[in-house]
């Protein structure tokens, strides 16, 4: 079955959870969420991500360093935020991504912080809160400029240009 292991992610996540083999349960819960999210089976993906977060709360039983656990939590919450974004559940997304802001400061991870700020900007843009969205994108851009993350910088600049265009500042959108 190794050539088709992806077909068994959900079953393996459940098996390892029942067996209380937390590191493997975490691994397969996250993989299940990723697989289901990529197929737009969003509610089930959220269920597996929520399971992964509950497993991460068992800090002492997982066998991972605290810093890695904190990073994992942030990444999983961002993945959940992306699902909330594509399903127009913006308030839920804002809540879970806002939670990551304190966590990114705690572990001093600027890349994850910029990603969270960018995602918060996308929620605001989706709700037509242009000024708030623009502020989030500019804050994220300031961080990304220091990091030299070209892909995230490109994504943020595209969002800023979109806001400028939607708000009638067409010339400004072309400059970006």
């Amino acid at each position: 079955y190794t050539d088709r292991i992806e077909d068994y992610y959900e079953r393996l996540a459940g098996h390892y959870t029942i067996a209380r083999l937390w590191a493997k349960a975490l691994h397969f819960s996250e993989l299940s969420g990723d697989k289901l999210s990529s197929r737009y089976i969003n509610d089930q993906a959220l269920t597996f991500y929520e399971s992964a977060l509950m497993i991460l709360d068992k800090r002492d039983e997982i066998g991972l360093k605290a810093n890695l656990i904190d990073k994992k939590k942030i990444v999983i919450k961002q993945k959940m935020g992306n699902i909330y974004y594509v399903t127009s559940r913006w308030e839920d997304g804002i809540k879970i991504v806002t939670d990551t802001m304190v966590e990114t400061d705690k572990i001093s991870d600027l890349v994850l912080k910029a990603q969270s700020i960018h995602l918060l900007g996308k929620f605001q843009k989706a709700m037509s809160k242009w000024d708030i969205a623009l502020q989030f994108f500019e804050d994220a851009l300031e961080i990304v400029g220091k990091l030299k993350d070209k892909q995230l910088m490109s994504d943020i600049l595209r969002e800023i240009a979109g806001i400028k265009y939607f708000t009638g500042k067409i010339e400004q959108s072309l400059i970006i």
Side-chain angles (χ1 to χ4, degrees):
Y1 296 108
T2 57
D3 59 330
R4 297 185 356 237
I5 193 166
E6 185 177 286
D7 295 341
Y8 299 95
Y9 286 167
E10 297 90 337
R11 193 175 290 171
L12 288 167
H15 169 76
Y16 287 123
T17 299
I18 291 168
R20 296 177 180 259
L21 296 170
W22 300 121
K24 289 184 179 188
L26 170 64
H27 177 72
F28 284 106
S29 292
E30 185 176 7
L31 287 175
S32 297
D34 293 347
K35 179 183 98 172
L36 293 164
S37 175
S38 73
R39 295 177 182 176
Y40 297 99
I41 307 171
N42 294 314
D43 287 333
Q44 288 181 20
L46 286 170
T47 299
F48 279 99
Y49 288 143
E50 288 165 358
S51 294
L53 288 175
M54 285 190 288
I55 293 166
L56 285 166
D57 285 338
K58 300 177 183 306
R59 289 179 173 272
D60 299 334
E61 301 174 53
I62 299 173
L64 297 175
K65 292 182 180 178
N67 196 40
L68 185 57
I69 289 171
D70 293 335
K71 273 188 172 184
K72 260 292 184 218
K73 276 185 166 184
I74 294 165
V75 169
I76 290 169
K77 287 179 181 181
Q78 287 176 340
K79 290 176 181 183
M80 293 173 75
N82 282 316
I83 290 173
Y84 290 134
Y85 177 77
V86 299
T87 57
S88 302
R89 291 159 55 184
W90 301 313
E91 294 299 331
D92 292 332
I94 289 169
K95 182 180 182 318
I96 199 157
V97 176
T98 299
D99 288 347
T100 69
M101 297 304 295
V102 172
E103 295 165 0
T104 57
D105 286 339
K106 183 174 127 184
I107 64 169
S108 302
D109 191 311
L110 291 177
V111 172
L112 291 175
K113 182 172 186 160
Q115 290 169 342
S116 290
I117 294 170
H118 174 238
L119 189 49
L120 288 169
K122 287 174 60 173
F123 287 120
Q124 298 299 326
K125 181 181 173 193
M127 296 185 300
S128 301
K129 295 181 179 179
W130 310 116
D131 292 337
I132 298 169
L134 193 56
Q135 186 60 57
F136 276 119
F137 293 138
E138 289 171 352
D139 291 348
L141 190 60
E142 184 178 330
I143 295 169
V144 171
K146 296 173 190 171
L147 300 173
K148 309 283 192 253
D149 184 328
K150 291 180 182 178
Q151 180 61 51
L152 186 54
M153 184 179 290
S154 173
D155 293 344
I156 294 167
L157 288 171
R158 192 175 319 109
E159 297 287 359
I160 292 171
I163 289 174
K164 298 288 186 182
Y165 180 80
F166 287 129
T167 57
K169 299 173 184 166
I170 297 171
E171 291 83 22
Q172 290 179 4
S173 74
L174 297 174
I175 294 171
I176 295 173

